[in-house]
Each structure stands twice: as C-alpha cells, then as structure tokens.
Amino acid sequence: MDAADVAKIRQGFADLDSEYGSKIVHSPDHYTQGIETFDFINSHNMGYAQGACIKYLTRYKMKNGLEDLLKCKWYLDKLIKEEIAREEMKG
C-alpha cells in the first residue's frame, strides 16, 4: 500500500462524513420514520435476532418488500425455536 492508496482510503472516509454520505450511512429514509430503528433496538436492549426482526419489518415497504419480510420471518422463526427450547428446559 502506497501513499496514493492511503489518500484514496482517507478520501473515502471523508466522503462518508459529507452531508450526503452521512445521510446514507447514519440516517437512511427507510430507518427514520418516527424514531430511528437503531435507537429503538438499543433502547429496548434487544439481541441480534430480535433487532433484525425489527429492522426488516420496519423497512420492508421502503426498501426490499417481500424479501425483507422473509428475512424478518427467518429471524422470528429462530427466536421462536429458541423460546420453545427454553420452555422445554424449564420442564
């Protein structure tokens, strides 16, 4: 890696900090309808799968439609299986 490569990487980070880049990374429209999805997930101390369900469910109309609903279902199915296993262990 030479100085030109480092300069390109630095410019890439600078572009992310620009107004346009910041909106794409930090506040895309499909995550900011009311409360930002990230903030909601964190404020409820959700685990990865639970947060993924919220993420895909809240964005499906504005981003990937059925694909996001199927992803949400996949994570929800995993959560249901985990909960069933926990209940069975309780006796």
Side-chain angles (χ1 to χ4, degrees):
M1 180 179 293
D2 62 14
D5 292 329
V6 172
K8 286 179 188 177
I9 292 169
R10 285 188 176 149
Q11 183 59 49
F13 283 117
D15 290 344
L16 288 177
D17 287 337
S18 72
E19 184 176 333
Y20 177 74
S22 182
K23 179 169 176 48
I24 290 173
V25 173
H26 300 292
S27 299
D29 291 340
H30 54 272
Y31 289 137
T32 57
Q33 301 299 307
I35 181 173
E36 190 160 343
T37 305
F38 179 86
D39 294 333
F40 180 84
I41 291 166
N42 278 345
S43 71
H44 288 82
N45 299 315
M46 294 182 184
Y48 185 82
Q50 192 178 6
C53 285
I54 298 298
K55 175 180 101 168
Y56 290 121
L57 186 60
T58 57
R59 78 178 199 184
Y60 85 94
K61 288 182 184 177
M62 297 182 73
K63 193 161 185 198
N64 296 322
L66 181 60
E67 178 184 341
D68 280 346
L69 288 175
L70 292 170
K71 288 177 181 180
C72 176
K73 181 184 179 304
W74 188 87
Y75 282 104
L76 183 57
D77 289 342
K78 293 287 187 188
L79 285 170
I80 290 169
K81 288 177 184 176
E82 288 176 5
E83 192 62 29
I84 289 169
R86 267 193 284 281
E87 291 293 322
E88 288 174 350
M89 289 188 70
K90 286 181 186 177

PDB file of all heavy atoms in Angstrom, residues 46-74:
ATOM      1  N   MET A  46     -32.350  -5.158  22.807  1.00  0.00           N
ATOM      2  CA  MET A  46     -32.645  -6.347  22.007  1.00  0.00           C
ATOM      3  C   MET A  46     -31.373  -7.056  21.578  1.00  0.00           C
ATOM      4  O   MET A  46     -30.353  -6.421  21.325  1.00  0.00           O
ATOM      5  CB  MET A  46     -33.439  -5.963  20.762  1.00  0.00           C
ATOM      6  CG  MET A  46     -34.801  -5.439  21.051  1.00  0.00           C
ATOM      7  SD  MET A  46     -35.677  -5.073  19.522  1.00  0.00           S
ATOM      8  CE  MET A  46     -37.170  -4.386  20.197  1.00  0.00           C
ATOM      9  N   GLY A  47     -31.459  -8.367  21.478  1.00  0.00           N
ATOM     10  CA  GLY A  47     -30.385  -9.158  20.920  1.00  0.00           C
ATOM     11  C   GLY A  47     -30.385  -9.044  19.405  1.00  0.00           C
ATOM     12  O   GLY A  47     -31.250  -8.387  18.803  1.00  0.00           O
ATOM     13  N   TYR A  48     -29.431  -9.703  18.778  1.00  0.00           N
ATOM     14  CA  TYR A  48     -29.262  -9.589  17.325  1.00  0.00           C
ATOM     15  C   TYR A  48     -30.504 -10.021  16.549  1.00  0.00           C
ATOM     16  O   TYR A  48     -31.000  -9.288  15.694  1.00  0.00           O
ATOM     17  CB  TYR A  48     -28.043 -10.395  16.862  1.00  0.00           C
ATOM     18  CG  TYR A  48     -27.770 -10.203  15.391  1.00  0.00           C
ATOM     19  CD1 TYR A  48     -27.070  -9.094  14.959  1.00  0.00           C
ATOM     20  CD2 TYR A  48     -28.257 -11.110  14.455  1.00  0.00           C
ATOM     21  CE1 TYR A  48     -26.840  -8.891  13.604  1.00  0.00           C
ATOM     22  CE2 TYR A  48     -28.027 -10.913  13.107  1.00  0.00           C
ATOM     23  CZ  TYR A  48     -27.321  -9.802  12.687  1.00  0.00           C
ATOM     24  OH  TYR A  48     -27.108  -9.597  11.355  1.00  0.00           O
ATOM     25  N   ALA A  49     -31.021 -11.209  16.826  1.00  0.00           N
ATOM     26  CA  ALA A  49     -32.153 -11.732  16.055  1.00  0.00           C
ATOM     27  C   ALA A  49     -33.402 -10.883  16.255  1.00  0.00           C
ATOM     28  O   ALA A  49     -34.124 -10.586  15.297  1.00  0.00           O
ATOM     29  CB  ALA A  49     -32.427 -13.190  16.431  1.00  0.00           C
ATOM     30  N   GLN A  50     -33.656 -10.478  17.481  1.00  0.00           N
ATOM     31  CA  GLN A  50     -34.820  -9.643  17.763  1.00  0.00           C
ATOM     32  C   GLN A  50     -34.684  -8.288  17.052  1.00  0.00           C
ATOM     33  O   GLN A  50     -35.631  -7.789  16.443  1.00  0.00           O
ATOM     34  CB  GLN A  50     -34.951  -9.452  19.264  1.00  0.00           C
ATOM     35  CG  GLN A  50     -36.264  -8.852  19.692  1.00  0.00           C
ATOM     36  CD  GLN A  50     -36.352  -8.741  21.212  1.00  0.00           C
ATOM     37  OE1 GLN A  50     -35.384  -9.015  21.932  1.00  0.00           O
ATOM     38  NE2 GLN A  50     -37.495  -8.344  21.696  1.00  0.00           N
ATOM     39  N   GLY A  51     -33.493  -7.706  17.111  1.00  0.00           N
ATOM     40  CA  GLY A  51     -33.260  -6.438  16.423  1.00  0.00           C
ATOM     41  C   GLY A  51     -33.384  -6.572  14.918  1.00  0.00           C
ATOM     42  O   GLY A  51     -33.905  -5.681  14.246  1.00  0.00           O
ATOM     43  N   ALA A  52     -32.924  -7.697  14.375  1.00  0.00           N
ATOM     44  CA  ALA A  52     -33.042  -7.922  12.929  1.00  0.00           C
ATOM     45  C   ALA A  52     -34.508  -7.988  12.522  1.00  0.00           C
ATOM     46  O   ALA A  52     -34.887  -7.456  11.468  1.00  0.00           O
ATOM     47  CB  ALA A  52     -32.311  -9.192  12.519  1.00  0.00           C
ATOM     48  N   CYS A  53     -35.332  -8.624  13.332  1.00  0.00           N
ATOM     49  CA  CYS A  53     -36.773  -8.666  13.044  1.00  0.00           C
ATOM     50  C   CYS A  53     -37.334  -7.249  12.931  1.00  0.00           C
ATOM     51  O   CYS A  53     -38.053  -6.928  11.983  1.00  0.00           O
ATOM     52  CB  CYS A  53     -37.538  -9.419  14.133  1.00  0.00           C
ATOM     53  SG  CYS A  53     -37.355 -11.196  14.103  1.00  0.00           S
ATOM     54  N   ILE A  54     -37.005  -6.418  13.909  1.00  0.00           N
ATOM     55  CA  ILE A  54     -37.485  -5.033  13.904  1.00  0.00           C
ATOM     56  C   ILE A  54     -36.968  -4.296  12.673  1.00  0.00           C
ATOM     57  O   ILE A  54     -37.711  -3.600  11.981  1.00  0.00           O
ATOM     58  CB  ILE A  54     -37.061  -4.306  15.197  1.00  0.00           C
ATOM     59  CG1 ILE A  54     -37.666  -4.982  16.423  1.00  0.00           C
ATOM     60  CG2 ILE A  54     -37.403  -2.825  15.145  1.00  0.00           C
ATOM     61  CD1 ILE A  54     -39.170  -4.985  16.483  1.00  0.00           C
ATOM     62  N   LYS A  55     -35.689  -4.459  12.397  1.00  0.00           N
ATOM     63  CA  LYS A  55     -35.070  -3.785  11.244  1.00  0.00           C
ATOM     64  C   LYS A  55     -35.792  -4.124   9.950  1.00  0.00           C
ATOM     65  O   LYS A  55     -36.213  -3.231   9.209  1.00  0.00           O
ATOM     66  CB  LYS A  55     -33.597  -4.180  11.142  1.00  0.00           C
ATOM     67  CG  LYS A  55     -32.896  -3.638   9.909  1.00  0.00           C
ATOM     68  CD  LYS A  55     -31.455  -4.066   9.871  1.00  0.00           C
ATOM     69  CE  LYS A  55     -31.271  -5.219   8.935  1.00  0.00           C
ATOM     70  NZ  LYS A  55     -29.867  -5.505   8.646  1.00  0.00           N
ATOM     71  N   TYR A  56     -35.947  -5.425   9.682  1.00  0.00           N
ATOM     72  CA  TYR A  56     -36.556  -5.826   8.416  1.00  0.00           C
ATOM     73  C   TYR A  56     -38.037  -5.492   8.353  1.00  0.00           C
ATOM     74  O   TYR A  56     -38.551  -5.111   7.304  1.00  0.00           O
ATOM     75  CB  TYR A  56     -36.319  -7.315   8.152  1.00  0.00           C
ATOM     76  CG  TYR A  56     -34.881  -7.616   7.833  1.00  0.00           C
ATOM     77  CD1 TYR A  56     -34.137  -8.496   8.616  1.00  0.00           C
ATOM     78  CD2 TYR A  56     -34.241  -7.006   6.761  1.00  0.00           C
ATOM     79  CE1 TYR A  56     -32.812  -8.767   8.326  1.00  0.00           C
ATOM     80  CE2 TYR A  56     -32.917  -7.263   6.471  1.00  0.00           C
ATOM     81  CZ  TYR A  56     -32.211  -8.141   7.247  1.00  0.00           C
ATOM     82  OH  TYR A  56     -30.891  -8.390   6.957  1.00  0.00           O
ATOM     83  N   LEU A  57     -38.720  -5.595   9.469  1.00  0.00           N
ATOM     84  CA  LEU A  57     -40.150  -5.300   9.480  1.00  0.00           C
ATOM     85  C   LEU A  57     -40.421  -3.818   9.261  1.00  0.00           C
ATOM     86  O   LEU A  57     -41.352  -3.447   8.551  1.00  0.00           O
ATOM     87  CB  LEU A  57     -40.769  -5.766  10.798  1.00  0.00           C
ATOM     88  CG  LEU A  57     -42.278  -5.653  10.898  1.00  0.00           C
ATOM     89  CD1 LEU A  57     -42.967  -6.475   9.813  1.00  0.00           C
ATOM     90  CD2 LEU A  57     -42.740  -6.098  12.274  1.00  0.00           C
ATOM     91  N   THR A  58     -39.589  -2.968   9.848  1.00  0.00           N
ATOM     92  CA  THR A  58     -39.843  -1.534   9.724  1.00  0.00           C
ATOM     93  C   THR A  58     -39.420  -0.945   8.379  1.00  0.00           C
ATOM     94  O   THR A  58     -39.883   0.126   8.007  1.00  0.00           O
ATOM     95  CB  THR A  58     -39.149  -0.742  10.853  1.00  0.00           C
ATOM     96  OG1 THR A  58     -37.752  -1.004  10.830  1.00  0.00           O
ATOM     97  CG2 THR A  58     -39.730  -1.110  12.201  1.00  0.00           C
ATOM     98  N   ARG A  59     -38.575  -1.638   7.639  1.00  0.00           N
ATOM     99  CA  ARG A  59     -38.111  -1.052   6.376  1.00  0.00           C
ATOM    100  C   ARG A  59     -38.715  -1.686   5.126  1.00  0.00           C
ATOM    101  O   ARG A  59     -38.509  -1.190   4.030  1.00  0.00           O
ATOM    102  CB  ARG A  59     -36.589  -1.128   6.293  1.00  0.00           C
ATOM    103  CG  ARG A  59     -36.067  -2.503   5.930  1.00  0.00           C
ATOM    104  CD  ARG A  59     -34.570  -2.509   5.816  1.00  0.00           C
ATOM    105  NE  ARG A  59     -34.126  -3.670   5.053  1.00  0.00           N
ATOM    106  CZ  ARG A  59     -32.876  -3.976   4.858  1.00  0.00           C
ATOM    107  NH1 ARG A  59     -31.927  -3.214   5.350  1.00  0.00           N
ATOM    108  NH2 ARG A  59     -32.549  -5.029   4.153  1.00  0.00           N
ATOM    109  N   TYR A  60     -39.434  -2.788   5.252  1.00  0.00           N
ATOM    110  CA  TYR A  60     -39.808  -3.568   4.067  1.00  0.00           C
ATOM    111  C   TYR A  60     -40.584  -2.770   3.028  1.00  0.00           C
ATOM    112  O   TYR A  60     -40.393  -2.967   1.835  1.00  0.00           O
ATOM    113  CB  TYR A  60     -40.556  -4.852   4.453  1.00  0.00           C
ATOM    114  CG  TYR A  60     -42.041  -4.698   4.675  1.00  0.00           C
ATOM    115  CD1 TYR A  60     -42.940  -4.946   3.646  1.00  0.00           C
ATOM    116  CD2 TYR A  60     -42.543  -4.319   5.908  1.00  0.00           C
ATOM    117  CE1 TYR A  60     -44.300  -4.812   3.844  1.00  0.00           C
ATOM    118  CE2 TYR A  60     -43.889  -4.186   6.112  1.00  0.00           C
ATOM    119  CZ  TYR A  60     -44.774  -4.428   5.081  1.00  0.00           C
ATOM    120  OH  TYR A  60     -46.119  -4.281   5.280  1.00  0.00           O
ATOM    121  N   LYS A  61     -41.447  -1.855   3.442  1.00  0.00           N
ATOM    122  CA  LYS A  61     -42.233  -1.084   2.473  1.00  0.00           C
ATOM    123  C   LYS A  61     -41.381  -0.103   1.672  1.00  0.00           C
ATOM    124  O   LYS A  61     -41.721   0.216   0.542  1.00  0.00           O
ATOM    125  CB  LYS A  61     -43.347  -0.312   3.181  1.00  0.00           C
ATOM    126  CG  LYS A  61     -44.457  -1.188   3.684  1.00  0.00           C
ATOM    127  CD  LYS A  61     -45.542  -0.340   4.319  1.00  0.00           C
ATOM    128  CE  LYS A  61     -46.634  -1.200   4.911  1.00  0.00           C
ATOM    129  NZ  LYS A  61     -47.652  -0.363   5.580  1.00  0.00           N
ATOM    130  N   MET A  62     -40.288   0.360   2.264  1.00  0.00           N
ATOM    131  CA  MET A  62     -39.463   1.377   1.615  1.00  0.00           C
ATOM    132  C   MET A  62     -38.205   0.817   0.971  1.00  0.00           C
ATOM    133  O   MET A  62     -37.503   1.543   0.281  1.00  0.00           O
ATOM    134  CB  MET A  62     -39.073   2.453   2.626  1.00  0.00           C
ATOM    135  CG  MET A  62     -40.258   3.206   3.171  1.00  0.00           C
ATOM    136  SD  MET A  62     -39.788   4.499   4.304  1.00  0.00           S
ATOM    137  CE  MET A  62     -39.097   5.694   3.157  1.00  0.00           C
ATOM    138  N   LYS A  63     -37.905  -0.477   1.207  1.00  0.00           N
ATOM    139  CA  LYS A  63     -36.655  -0.975   0.674  1.00  0.00           C
ATOM    140  C   LYS A  63     -36.846  -2.229  -0.171  1.00  0.00           C
ATOM    141  O   LYS A  63     -36.907  -2.139  -1.380  1.00  0.00           O
ATOM    142  CB  LYS A  63     -35.641  -1.218   1.800  1.00  0.00           C
ATOM    143  CG  LYS A  63     -34.239  -1.438   1.250  1.00  0.00           C
ATOM    144  CD  LYS A  63     -33.172  -1.242   2.261  1.00  0.00           C
ATOM    145  CE  LYS A  63     -31.829  -1.374   1.550  1.00  0.00           C
ATOM    146  NZ  LYS A  63     -30.736  -1.607   2.441  1.00  0.00           N
ATOM    147  N   ASN A  64     -36.962  -3.402   0.446  1.00  0.00           N
ATOM    148  CA  ASN A  64     -36.916  -4.648  -0.330  1.00  0.00           C
ATOM    149  C   ASN A  64     -38.200  -5.468  -0.323  1.00  0.00           C
ATOM    150  O   ASN A  64     -38.178  -6.632  -0.706  1.00  0.00           O
ATOM    151  CB  ASN A  64     -35.753  -5.518   0.172  1.00  0.00           C
ATOM    152  CG  ASN A  64     -34.417  -4.868  -0.060  1.00  0.00           C
ATOM    153  OD1 ASN A  64     -34.199  -4.229  -1.081  1.00  0.00           O
ATOM    154  ND2 ASN A  64     -33.517  -4.995   0.886  1.00  0.00           N
ATOM    155  N   GLY A  65     -39.296  -4.900   0.150  1.00  0.00           N
ATOM    156  CA  GLY A  65     -40.585  -5.572   0.081  1.00  0.00           C
ATOM    157  C   GLY A  65     -40.588  -6.972   0.675  1.00  0.00           C
ATOM    158  O   GLY A  65     -40.156  -7.197   1.800  1.00  0.00           O
ATOM    159  N   LEU A  66     -41.072  -7.922  -0.108  1.00  0.00           N
ATOM    160  CA  LEU A  66     -41.219  -9.306   0.337  1.00  0.00           C
ATOM    161  C   LEU A  66     -39.903  -9.896   0.832  1.00  0.00           C
ATOM    162  O   LEU A  66     -39.884 -10.651   1.812  1.00  0.00           O
ATOM    163  CB  LEU A  66     -41.806 -10.157  -0.798  1.00  0.00           C
ATOM    164  CG  LEU A  66     -42.034 -11.627  -0.482  1.00  0.00           C
ATOM    165  CD1 LEU A  66     -42.998 -11.795   0.694  1.00  0.00           C
ATOM    166  CD2 LEU A  66     -42.552 -12.350  -1.716  1.00  0.00           C
ATOM    167  N   GLU A  67     -38.801  -9.557   0.193  1.00  0.00           N
ATOM    168  CA  GLU A  67     -37.501 -10.079   0.632  1.00  0.00           C
ATOM    169  C   GLU A  67     -37.235  -9.743   2.096  1.00  0.00           C
ATOM    170  O   GLU A  67     -36.801 -10.590   2.878  1.00  0.00           O
ATOM    171  CB  GLU A  67     -36.380  -9.517  -0.241  1.00  0.00           C
ATOM    172  CG  GLU A  67     -35.003  -9.973   0.169  1.00  0.00           C
ATOM    173  CD  GLU A  67     -33.899  -9.334  -0.656  1.00  0.00           C
ATOM    174  OE1 GLU A  67     -34.156  -8.815  -1.758  1.00  0.00           O
ATOM    175  OE2 GLU A  67     -32.750  -9.346  -0.176  1.00  0.00           O
ATOM    176  N   ASP A  68     -37.518  -8.500   2.494  1.00  0.00           N
ATOM    177  CA  ASP A  68     -37.305  -8.112   3.888  1.00  0.00           C
ATOM    178  C   ASP A  68     -38.286  -8.812   4.819  1.00  0.00           C
ATOM    179  O   ASP A  68     -37.931  -9.172   5.943  1.00  0.00           O
ATOM    180  CB  ASP A  68     -37.415  -6.598   4.057  1.00  0.00           C
ATOM    181  CG  ASP A  68     -36.157  -5.860   3.645  1.00  0.00           C
ATOM    182  OD1 ASP A  68     -35.106  -6.516   3.484  1.00  0.00           O
ATOM    183  OD2 ASP A  68     -36.220  -4.631   3.490  1.00  0.00           O
ATOM    184  N   LEU A  69     -39.525  -9.022   4.383  1.00  0.00           N
ATOM    185  CA  LEU A  69     -40.480  -9.760   5.219  1.00  0.00           C
ATOM    186  C   LEU A  69     -40.031 -11.198   5.423  1.00  0.00           C
ATOM    187  O   LEU A  69     -40.161 -11.748   6.529  1.00  0.00           O
ATOM    188  CB  LEU A  69     -41.874  -9.731   4.595  1.00  0.00           C
ATOM    189  CG  LEU A  69     -42.598  -8.391   4.653  1.00  0.00           C
ATOM    190  CD1 LEU A  69     -43.913  -8.474   3.893  1.00  0.00           C
ATOM    191  CD2 LEU A  69     -42.821  -7.958   6.088  1.00  0.00           C
ATOM    192  N   LEU A  70     -39.471 -11.808   4.400  1.00  0.00           N
ATOM    193  CA  LEU A  70     -38.974 -13.177   4.532  1.00  0.00           C
ATOM    194  C   LEU A  70     -37.764 -13.238   5.457  1.00  0.00           C
ATOM    195  O   LEU A  70     -37.612 -14.188   6.230  1.00  0.00           O
ATOM    196  CB  LEU A  70     -38.658 -13.768   3.160  1.00  0.00           C
ATOM    197  CG  LEU A  70     -39.883 -14.022   2.273  1.00  0.00           C
ATOM    198  CD1 LEU A  70     -39.456 -14.370   0.854  1.00  0.00           C
ATOM    199  CD2 LEU A  70     -40.760 -15.109   2.868  1.00  0.00           C
ATOM    200  N   LYS A  71     -36.910 -12.229   5.392  1.00  0.00           N
ATOM    201  CA  LYS A  71     -35.771 -12.170   6.313  1.00  0.00           C
ATOM    202  C   LYS A  71     -36.277 -12.020   7.753  1.00  0.00           C
ATOM    203  O   LYS A  71     -35.774 -12.674   8.667  1.00  0.00           O
ATOM    204  CB  LYS A  71     -34.840 -11.016   5.958  1.00  0.00           C
ATOM    205  CG  LYS A  71     -34.048 -11.252   4.687  1.00  0.00           C
ATOM    206  CD  LYS A  71     -33.192 -10.043   4.354  1.00  0.00           C
ATOM    207  CE  LYS A  71     -32.418 -10.239   3.076  1.00  0.00           C
ATOM    208  NZ  LYS A  71     -31.592  -9.063   2.746  1.00  0.00           N
ATOM    209  N   CYS A  72     -37.261 -11.157   7.952  1.00  0.00           N
ATOM    210  CA  CYS A  72     -37.848 -10.979   9.272  1.00  0.00           C
ATOM    211  C   CYS A  72     -38.403 -12.307   9.775  1.00  0.00           C
ATOM    212  O   CYS A  72     -38.172 -12.692  10.925  1.00  0.00           O
ATOM    213  CB  CYS A  72     -38.955  -9.924   9.207  1.00  0.00           C
ATOM    214  SG  CYS A  72     -39.821  -9.707  10.771  1.00  0.00           S
ATOM    215  N   LYS A  73     -39.109 -13.017   8.921  1.00  0.00           N
ATOM    216  CA  LYS A  73     -39.688 -14.311   9.293  1.00  0.00           C
ATOM    217  C   LYS A  73     -38.593 -15.308   9.663  1.00  0.00           C
ATOM    218  O   LYS A  73     -38.731 -16.067  10.621  1.00  0.00           O
ATOM    219  CB  LYS A  73     -40.541 -14.867   8.161  1.00  0.00           C
ATOM    220  CG  LYS A  73     -41.199 -16.202   8.476  1.00  0.00           C
ATOM    221  CD  LYS A  73     -41.949 -16.729   7.275  1.00  0.00           C
ATOM    222  CE  LYS A  73     -42.609 -18.060   7.540  1.00  0.00           C
ATOM    223  NZ  LYS A  73     -41.717 -19.109   8.005  1.00  0.00           N
ATOM    224  N   TRP A  74     -37.493 -15.315   8.934  1.00  0.00           N
ATOM    225  CA  TRP A  74     -36.398 -16.233   9.217  1.00  0.00           C
ATOM    226  C   TRP A  74     -35.871 -16.001  10.637  1.00  0.00           C
ATOM    227  O   TRP A  74     -35.683 -16.940  11.404  1.00  0.00           O
ATOM    228  CB  TRP A  74     -35.286 -16.054   8.182  1.00  0.00           C
ATOM    229  CG  TRP A  74     -34.208 -17.082   8.284  1.00  0.00           C
ATOM    230  CD1 TRP A  74     -34.180 -18.309   7.697  1.00  0.00           C
ATOM    231  CD2 TRP A  74     -32.987 -16.977   9.038  1.00  0.00           C
ATOM    232  NE1 TRP A  74     -33.016 -18.975   8.025  1.00  0.00           N
ATOM    233  CE2 TRP A  74     -32.267 -18.176   8.856  1.00  0.00           C
ATOM    234  CE3 TRP A  74     -32.434 -15.982   9.844  1.00  0.00           C
ATOM    235  CZ2 TRP A  74     -31.034 -18.413   9.442  1.00  0.00           C
ATOM    236  CZ3 TRP A  74     -31.201 -16.213  10.435  1.00  0.00           C
ATOM    237  CH2 TRP A  74     -30.515 -17.421  10.232  1.00  0.00           C
TER     238      TRP A  74
END
